[in-house]
Amino acid sequence: MGFFEGTIYSKTLHMDTQLGVILPQDSRPHNYLTLKEGIRAREVPRTLILLHGLSDSASVWWRRTSIERYAEEYDIAVIMPEVYKSFYQNMKYGDDYFTYISEELPELCSTLFHISVEPEDLLIAGLSMGGYGALKCALTYPERYFACGSFSAGCDIREITASAAKNDEEMGPARGFYNTSKAIFGESLEIPDESDVYFLAEHLKDRAENLRLYMTCGRQDPLYPANQRLRAVFEKCNLKTYIYEDWDGEHEWGYWDAAIQKFLADFVK
């Protein structure tokens, strides 16, 4: 595999922004030995956009997991962008990170790296805030993605924002989000329906048949109750494929390292 860490210029954000990229390189002599059974090397690789959490950066997936090794096994390109604490929103007082992730980034990476972002080849996934971001992208544009992976998602943005407003110091590693949330949603902290993944899931209607979804959250994770509420909503949707599973685990990287492997095993074949 090739691995690149650098910056690209985003017209949407009007600035340079960090990006990590893993690219299949089938010229390696042992490539055919590393592929999972049933996977064949492709001239134009499939693509996974992999999103980071609230207290992380673009680099966290390649520092905390073996994502490069997993990408090699499945012959898939992985794009890991930077969104800071934006919660993958078009911010009221800030930049349009949702537009950047859902529209500009796939097109830009397709041109730069010769990878496929066609609907049958494009996947999106993330952990915590990134799990929310993946869901928001896939629920808003289910026709654009082959599959979506949500790992311990910070899925209840209304609850998270209200908690930060009530006592920001109790947010743990995410403390300081109250000021950021005002930049995202304005001083009134009014959350629009298009930012509420519960609302988006409930209003999928006939578009649900395009969506393949993997969802998981550790049973000891503080976000487990919110994920269970969203699970109940998805179980009423007529999704093309819906896989939910959980096991004992906290809000931590051992859980997410296992989750990304399960997601790839289910949807990259």
Side-chain angles (χ1 to χ4, degrees):
M1 304 294 284
F3 174 77
F4 304 92
E5 177 186 5
T7 58
I8 57 171
Y9 181 78
S10 166
K11 291 181 180 179
T12 302
L13 304 177
H14 310 289
M15 66 178 182
D16 284 347
T17 183
Q18 186 183 18
L19 194 68
V21 182
I22 299 170
L23 294 175
Q25 185 181 3
D26 58 11
S27 61
R28 289 177 64 168
H30 62 278
N31 176 264
Y32 71 96
L33 295 175
T34 64
L35 294 179
K36 288 282 189 180
E37 184 178 356
I39 302 295
R40 62 177 181 82
R42 294 172 40 149
E43 182 178 350
V44 181
R46 290 166 289 191
T47 302
L48 168 64
I49 297 175
L50 196 53
L51 306 179
H52 68 78
L54 182 63
S55 59
D56 301 325
S57 70
S59 69
V60 73
W61 273 105
W62 70 80
R63 290 188 294 112
R64 297 280 187 165
T65 74
S66 295
I67 185 59
E68 184 175 2
R69 181 161 55 86
Y70 309 148
E72 183 170 39
E73 291 172 344
Y74 288 96
D75 190 57
I76 191 169
V78 183
I79 305 298
M80 294 163 284
E82 176 66 65
V83 303
Y84 304 100
K85 293 184 177 181
S86 69
F87 236 93
Y88 299 89
Q89 305 294 320
N90 288 343
M91 302 172 69
K92 188 173 181 65
Y93 306 116
D95 296 302
D96 290 345
Y97 282 96
F98 179 68
T99 299
Y100 167 61
I101 294 296
S102 63
E103 297 184 20
E104 183 183 17
L105 183 66
E107 181 178 349
L108 190 59
C109 289
S110 173
T111 301
L112 286 173
F113 304 119
H114 190 55
I115 57 181
S116 177
V117 295
E118 294 300 314
E120 64 270 20
D121 294 326
L122 181 61
L123 302 88
I124 190 166
L127 81 302
S128 196
M129 180 184 80
Y132 164 89
L135 287 169
K136 186 174 189 292
C137 288
L139 294 173
T140 304
Y141 303 117
E143 67 281 356
R144 295 185 183 180
Y145 302 95
F146 181 78
C148 171
S150 169
F151 316 142
S152 311
C155 48
D156 194 337
I157 185 62
R158 298 182 189 276
E159 182 178 75
I160 291 169
T161 303
S163 295
K166 183 178 180 181
N167 192 338
D168 195 47
E169 288 301 311
E170 292 185 357
M171 296 291 286
R175 62 185 176 273
F177 182 64
Y178 176 54
N179 287 332
T180 306
S181 66
K182 290 188 289 184
I184 296 171
F185 297 114
E187 293 288 338
S188 66
L189 297 182
E190 183 176 347
I191 312 298
D193 288 340
E194 60 265 26
S195 294
D196 184 334
V197 295
Y198 298 88
F199 176 88
L200 294 174
E202 289 168 351
H203 290 79
L204 270 173
K205 296 182 180 177
D206 58 340
R207 302 172 75 212
E209 63 186 17
N210 297 314
L211 185 59
R212 300 171 180 86
L213 176 62
Y214 176 88
M215 185 178 176
T216 187
C217 186
R219 293 171 187 154
Q220 288 75 39
D221 193 313
L223 297 177
Y224 189 73
N227 277 264
Q228 292 304 297
R229 294 196 299 273
L230 186 58
R231 173 190 180 183
V233 176
F234 281 129
E235 286 176 346
K236 297 177 183 177
C237 297
N238 186 29
L239 300 177
K240 186 176 185 69
T241 304
Y242 179 50
I243 299 172
Y244 176 86
E245 58 183 337
D246 60 40
W247 56 93
D248 288 339
E250 302 280 352
H251 202 72
E252 54 84 30
W253 279 99
Y255 195 92
W256 303 322
D257 189 52
I260 186 63
Q261 294 179 73
K262 290 174 178 290
F263 172 68
L264 292 171
D266 284 329
F267 290 110
V268 183
K269 299 177 180 178

